[in-house]
Amino acid sequence: MTIASKTNPGRFFEDFSIGEVIRHATPRTVTSGDVALYTALYGGRFAVQSSDVFAREIGYRHAPVDDLFVFHIVFGKTVPDVSLNAVANLGYAACRFLAPVYPGDTLKTVSEVIGLKENSTRKTGVVYVRSTGYNQHGAEVLDYVRWVMVHKRDPEAVIAAEHVPTLPRVVSPEALGDACPVIDADAYDLVLAGSPERWDDYEIGETIDHVDGMTVEEAEHMLATRLYQNTAKVHFDQLAQASSRFGRRLIYGGHVISLARALSFNGLANAFHVAAINGGRHVAPLFAGDTVYAWSEILDKQPLPGRDDVGGLRVRLAATKDKPCRDFPLKVGEDYDPAVILDLDLWVLAPR
């Protein structure tokens, strides 16, 4: 019997070339049902994304799609072409949310390969891509850089050109706010939003323990990853992962980001919009059965040029597993506490 080769085995490291532009398949129309499922998975309580009435009263058309849900959808389009054969997703930089997304909008993604670096073992290499999400009108809604470690098909394959891109450490305040319309800050109801703190009430250097924990279940992380149409093998195929380094499926790193963001409501309830992801690392793997906690440090606060309705808070959002954040100090940095699983640097917007 002859088996036709019509399936996609995914790209290996030697299949990428610097400057290559990849148009990813499967545009995705975001529905209100998708939004409800996303809320059910993480329990986010930010009022702007939860209530059409609240959102309209401060200046949105209606409740926008959660920023990180937009990120996951745009990211998910790239997986079959970039990270189907990944060892791990390593980090993010220069992520900007450029326009609000509403239920009914259709998103698609285009990526450019901007860097390649073979690892010393010659069995894997790191691929750097800049991905951009567009809506049905061709408007950019999101762009970001990520780097991912990918298996080589042939360890002896020669890589034509290598380059590690220089990336900005922080998105400038001037680049924030495009996805947030000018809001009526006086109409922003602090009682309904769940917290009395506005932008002015936070101080640089302040640390916030978000208190609550959430245990990850096998079914929910797989459902979430399928929601984003993320097909990475490390999240789904237990038979294949049984012989891997960890011997079991990994939780998608974006699932950890959304969990930490949802937990951050308790302490940052009025930081209603993620304007940028400056950078981030998945420090350690997460598995089903682990319990996630989160804490934040206010790294900076900046007014937005030409706007007096919202201000930017630069937040270091850290997530841990099986170690409540009341057990400070938790080391974050080059010498991570073993409990730290996520170190994310964000700009979020809060009403002034």
Side-chain angles (χ1 to χ4, degrees), residues 276-290:
I277 300 174
N278 296 305
R281 289 185 60 190
H282 296 292
V283 179
L286 182 72
F287 302 100
D290 293 340

Side-chain angles (χ1 to χ4, degrees), residues 332-346:
V332 177
E334 292 183 3
D335 182 20
Y336 285 98
D337 185 286
V340 176
I341 55 175
L342 175 71
D343 184 4
L344 199 63
D345 185 335
L346 306 171

Side-chain angles (χ1 to χ4, degrees), residues 118-194:
E118 186 176 26
N119 289 327
S120 58
T121 64
R122 301 199 66 189
K123 295 179 180 179
T124 59
V126 179
V127 180
Y128 297 78
V129 295
R130 183 185 305 279
S131 299
T132 304
Y134 299 86
N135 66 16
Q136 67 273 22
H137 306 297
E140 296 182 4
V141 300
L142 170 74
D143 70 358
Y144 68 94
V145 173
R146 71 159 167 146
W147 48 104
V148 56
M149 188 185 302
V150 179
H151 288 289
K152 289 184 70 176
R153 179 189 296 105
D154 176 8
E156 301 304 317
V158 177
I159 307 306
E162 293 185 290
H163 171 68
V164 176
T166 300
L167 300 170
R169 194 169 66 88
V170 180
V171 176
S172 69
E174 291 77 13
L176 305 178
D178 289 345
C180 175
V182 174
I183 69 166
D184 182 349
D186 292 332
Y188 192 100
D189 189 321
L190 296 173
V191 174
L192 293 180

Side-chain angles (χ1 to χ4, degrees), residues 60-227:
Y60 283 86
R61 281 169 31 201
H62 47 82
V65 176
D66 186 281
D67 306 299
L68 292 179
F69 190 17
V70 174
F71 174 82
H72 296 320
I73 292 173
V74 171
F75 181 105
K77 303 295 98 191
T78 71
V79 169
D81 299 311
V82 175
S83 51
L84 197 63
N85 293 309
V87 179
N89 193 58
L90 300 178
Y92 313 94
C95 175
R96 302 177 302 151
F97 294 84
L98 301 171
V101 174
Y102 297 100
D105 286 344
T106 297
L107 304 181
K108 61 182 179 181
T109 309
V110 177
S111 295
E112 179 185 1
V113 180
I114 62 171
L116 296 171
K117 180 64 176 176
E118 186 176 26
N119 289 327
S120 58
T121 64
R122 301 199 66 189
K123 295 179 180 179
T124 59
V126 179
V127 180
Y128 297 78
V129 295
R130 183 185 305 279
S131 299
T132 304
Y134 299 86
N135 66 16
Q136 67 273 22
H137 306 297
E140 296 182 4
V141 300
L142 170 74
D143 70 358
Y144 68 94
V145 173
R146 71 159 167 146
W147 48 104
V148 56
M149 188 185 302
V150 179
H151 288 289
K152 289 184 70 176
R153 179 189 296 105
D154 176 8
E156 301 304 317
V158 177
I159 307 306
E162 293 185 290
H163 171 68
V164 176
T166 300
L167 300 170
R169 194 169 66 88
V170 180
V171 176
S172 69
E174 291 77 13
L176 305 178
D178 289 345
C180 175
V182 174
I183 69 166
D184 182 349
D186 292 332
Y188 192 100
D189 189 321
L190 296 173
V191 174
L192 293 180
S195 170
E197 282 83 24
R198 292 178 179 262
W199 177 78
D200 285 319
D201 296 311
Y202 292 91
E203 299 295 334
I204 296 173
E206 181 178 1
T207 301
I208 304 165
D209 180 357
H210 298 302
V211 181
D212 307 308
M214 194 176 298
T215 301
V216 178
E217 305 295 346
E218 197 78 79
E220 69 186 19
H221 93 82
M222 295 185 68
L223 178 62
T225 312
R226 286 193 291 264
L227 176 65

